[in-house]
Amino acid sequence: KHGAFRIDSAMQIAAKPSMMSRAEDENGGAAAMAAPAGFLAGLGPVYGAYLEAQERLAADDLEGFVAAAAALNAALGAVERAGLAGEALGAWKRASAKLGVDEAFGSIDHARERFEAMSEGAIELQRRFGHSGEETWALAHCPMAFDNKGADWLQRGERINNPYFGDAMLRCGSVREV
């Protein structure tokens, strides 16, 4: 068992594909990367806090967003990383850096700007490691966010709940993936 991890680590160091994860799933999309069970279990609270932050912004609730961001920071700090190595560890570090919040928010516009990077981190985690449970999540996109630059986010369910505009344009956007 340990030998497979050593061989896999050596392959990853040599920039070869990991044996611990498939490059593609049966539908041709990226498959979730193998990771220790403790790490994967720790992602649940991270996703939960991120999704709460998304919902609070969609509801124009800055105070709720700040609370969700604090819960997200706590959840990130509690994730068990033992056994995570190579590309999986690198993916975690990149995503968690985007998700973590270390600033105060004076306005909901500032919170929405910061949420874009948080969404990039959450989407990276979802793509790399997936999520457990039966809940359906959607990858949504608003083409009008940030002066028509556009921005993505994860949300529960398929009915658009736009965190970048809130009540002003709550249903602006489309679902890209489920």
Side-chain angles (χ1 to χ4, degrees), residues 131-148:
H131 74 277
S132 61
E134 299 297 317
E135 193 170 54
T136 299
W137 295 355
L139 172 64
H141 177 78
C142 174
M144 297 177 69
F146 306 113
D147 295 322
N148 297 317

Side-chain angles (χ1 to χ4, degrees), residues 9-21:
S9 296
M11 289 180 67
Q12 289 181 30
I13 290 168
K16 305 269 192 233
S18 171
M19 298 182 318
M20 300 298 171
S21 65

